[in-house]
């Protein structure tokens, strides 16, 4: 019997209504639209309302993805949620989404791979489906970064935005087939991007609160150096496993952390600008949600044709990185 494939049957995003522009940020910190746009490619980002959370945004994206796939929540066997901004340390955001959408048959688990979480999630989904452990999986990336960003720190507050996306992935069927995938990590550089307080190492205290240690801290310059190299490495391994040359790629859907990182990466694989999915200008860095949001926006243009090869690549805290090759069926 031929081996089953994992196929992304549907993909949907949820972006909060409120827009925070670069101009708005100039009222909060010493920055300019010119600096932010030329150094990052960002024009604006979405910010979740006070009563919106990782779980509620994820549930909205999930309902849309299920509708598109013509499935009921009861068809879902497993919910995997990627988030670095969960509603709670415990319970998992996946359990909350399972409750909110009524997927009472589904198991539920969160994964923490920061901005690489979607690619990590797809890799786990591929393994679960190809081994026939599960048939239908909901993979959700959802991030309320604004809850962890210090809006007096210009090094971080200009970069991040909020948003969610969800995919229904099933055995075979129509959509984007997961061909090959590769993941990497290096805990040696775990201090380059972190939220220092709130875990068991530095539990919440008035001091941690005063020192803003519950906010995201990042060494952007150092991360930049690792980002291109690590994603390039992952792409090469992923393409080699599929026995596909980079020249066969139709689309590149990279993590949206900085337009200069994306441009450098596309250049290394000679992928022209019009074949790279870009959403950083509108939505900034939504951590693990950037790739599924960009993939959804690309799909909505109607430009992904049957048998197109679509390469996803991610890099983020941990450090973590990865690449996944999809083929349109
Ligand atoms: N507005 C104006 N000036 C700013 C600024 C802002 N928002 N943020 C930093 N600066 C200043 C710095 O203070 C520094 O000033 P100095 O030269 O007087 O010291 C100068 O701009 C350059 O800062 P630097 O940090 O070297 O900028 P950069 O070109 O590296 O850009 C990032 C900063 C964060 C945009 C960039 O490093 C980046 O994107 N890094 C990768 C992020 C990443 O991949 N994260 C992991 C995945 S989420």
């Amino acid at each position: 019997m031929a081996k089953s494939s994992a196929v992304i049957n549907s993909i949907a995003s949820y972006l909060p209504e409120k827009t925070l522009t670069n101009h708005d940020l100039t009222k909060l910190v010493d920055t300019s639209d010119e600096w932010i746009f030329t150094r990052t490619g960002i024009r604006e980002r979405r910010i979740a309302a006070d009563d919106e959370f990782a779980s509620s945004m994820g549930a909205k994206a999930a309902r849309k993805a299920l509708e598109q796939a013509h499935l009921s929540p009861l068809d879902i066997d497993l919910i995997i949620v990627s988030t670095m901004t969960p509603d709670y340390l415990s319970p998992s955001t996946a359990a909350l989404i399972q409750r909110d959408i009524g997927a009472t048959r589904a198991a539920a688990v969160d994964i923490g791979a920061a901005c690489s979480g979607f690619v990590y999630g797809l890799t786990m989904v591929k393994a679960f489906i190809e081994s026939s452990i599960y048939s239908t999986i909901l993979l959700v990336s959802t991030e309320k970064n604004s809850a962890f960003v210090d809006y007096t720190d210009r090094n971080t507050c200009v970069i991040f935005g909020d948003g969610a996306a969800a995919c229904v992935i099933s055995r075979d069927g129509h959509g984007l087939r997961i061909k090959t995938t590769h993941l990497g990590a290096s805990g040696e550089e775990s201090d380059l991007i972190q939220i220092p307080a709130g875990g068991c190492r530095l539990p919440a205290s008035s001091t941690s609160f005063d020192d803003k240690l519950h906010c995201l801290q990042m060494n952007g310059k150092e991360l930049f150096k690792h980002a291109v190299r690590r994603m390039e490495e992952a792409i090469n391994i992923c393409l080699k496993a599929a026995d596909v040359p980079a020249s066969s790629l139709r689309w590149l859907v990279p993590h949206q952390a900085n337009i200069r990182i994306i441009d450098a990466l596309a250049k290394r694989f000679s992928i022209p600008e019009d074949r790279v999915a870009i959403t950083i200008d509108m939505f900034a860095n939504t951590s693990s949600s950037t790739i599924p949001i960009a993939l959804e926006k690309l799909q909505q243009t109607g430009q992904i044709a049957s048998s197109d090869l679509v390469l996803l690549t991610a890099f983020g805290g941990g450090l973590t990185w990865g690449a996944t090759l999809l083929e349109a069926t």
Side-chain angles (χ1 to χ4, degrees):
M1 206 172 81
K3 196 171 84 169
S4 295
S5 292
V7 178
I8 301 175
N9 301 136
S10 69
I11 180 160
S13 71
Y14 171 76
L15 287 146
E17 226 166 89
K18 184 181 166 190
T19 296
L20 185 70
T21 65
N22 291 349
H23 178 70
D24 296 331
L25 282 167
T26 63
K27 293 172 198 155
L28 302 176
V29 288
D30 180 16
T31 190
S32 65
D33 175 48
E34 202 264 335
W35 191 95
I36 301 171
F37 186 66
T38 54
R39 304 307 292 164
T40 69
I42 299 167
R43 289 256 187 234
E44 57 189 39
R45 69 279 302 135
R46 299 297 178 90
I47 302 294
D50 291 346
D51 62 352
E52 285 185 308
F53 312 105
S55 65
S56 60
M57 293 191 292
K60 281 186 178 161
R63 283 190 200 98
K64 279 203 261 178
L66 283 166
E67 203 181 301
Q68 278 176 30
H70 305 292
L71 290 179
S72 130
L74 296 176
D75 294 320
I76 300 296
D77 301 318
L78 170 69
I79 300 173
I80 299 180
V81 172
S82 158
T83 185
M84 54 179 249
T85 55
D87 288 30
Y88 306 108
L89 277 179
S90 183
S92 71
T93 302
L96 303 179
I97 292 177
Q98 189 250 26
R99 174 196 66 191
D100 290 353
I101 66 172
T104 48
R105 273 192 54 246
V109 66
D110 281 6
I111 56 168
C115 299
S116 308
F118 184 71
V119 167
Y120 265 70
L122 280 182
T123 306
M124 293 174 191
V125 169
K126 178 174 161 62
F128 277 130
I129 288 181
E130 289 184 0
S131 60
S132 298
I133 293 177
Y134 293 117
S135 300
T136 307
I137 300 178
L138 183 68
L139 174 63
V140 183
S141 290
T142 182
E143 308 282 6
K144 186 174 179 177
N145 286 318
S146 61
F148 295 90
V149 163
D150 171 7
Y151 284 93
T152 64
D153 174 14
R154 69 177 185 177
N155 289 304
T156 51
C157 74
V158 303
I159 312 282
F160 293 97
D162 300 337
C167 293
V168 173
I169 304 157
S170 303
R171 195 182 302 159
D172 304 319
H174 180 71
L176 295 163
R177 185 167 71 87
I178 305 174
K179 265 176 90 72
T180 54
T181 187
H182 176 75
L183 303 176
S186 174
E188 287 297 326
E189 292 88 24
S190 57
D191 58 339
L192 292 185
I193 178 163
Q194 57 175 202
I195 299 172
C200 68
R201 193 174 280 244
L202 202 54
S205 69
S206 53
T207 316
S208 70
F209 181 77
D210 291 345
D211 294 344
K212 298 194 168 155
L213 297 176
H214 300 89
C215 294
L216 192 122
Q217 298 182 353
M218 173 174 98
N219 181 339
K221 223 184 208 5
E222 278 305 307
L223 284 168
F224 200 112
K225 289 184 204 160
H226 289 276
V228 180
R229 187 165 64 86
R230 293 308 197 176
M231 284 191 279
E232 181 184 16
E233 190 181 295
I235 292 172
N236 279 326
I237 296 170
C238 190
L239 292 180
K240 195 166 175 217
D243 198 18
V244 160
S247 56
S248 304
L249 294 175
R250 183 75 182 95
W251 304 105
L252 175 67
V253 184
H255 174 48
Q256 315 274 315
N258 189 312
I259 194 70
R260 292 181 290 135
I261 294 175
I262 296 173
D263 288 347
L265 199 61
K267 208 165 152 196
R268 289 195 188 191
F269 291 95
S270 304
I271 301 174
E273 228 173 73
D274 61 352
R275 290 205 259 128
V276 183
I278 305 289
T279 54
I280 190 168
D281 52 334
M282 296 178 289
F283 307 130
N285 183 345
T286 53
S287 308
S288 70
S289 300
T290 65
I291 293 175
I293 291 171
L295 185 59
E296 185 217 27
K297 301 299 168 204
L298 172 64
Q299 203 174 47
Q300 284 172 345
T301 66
Q303 292 183 83
I304 304 180
S306 176
S307 76
D308 273 4
L309 292 177
V310 183
L311 187 81
L312 317 180
T313 188
F315 171 81
L319 301 179
T320 54
W321 59 87
T324 299
L325 183 65
L326 307 175
E327 182 178 21
T329 64

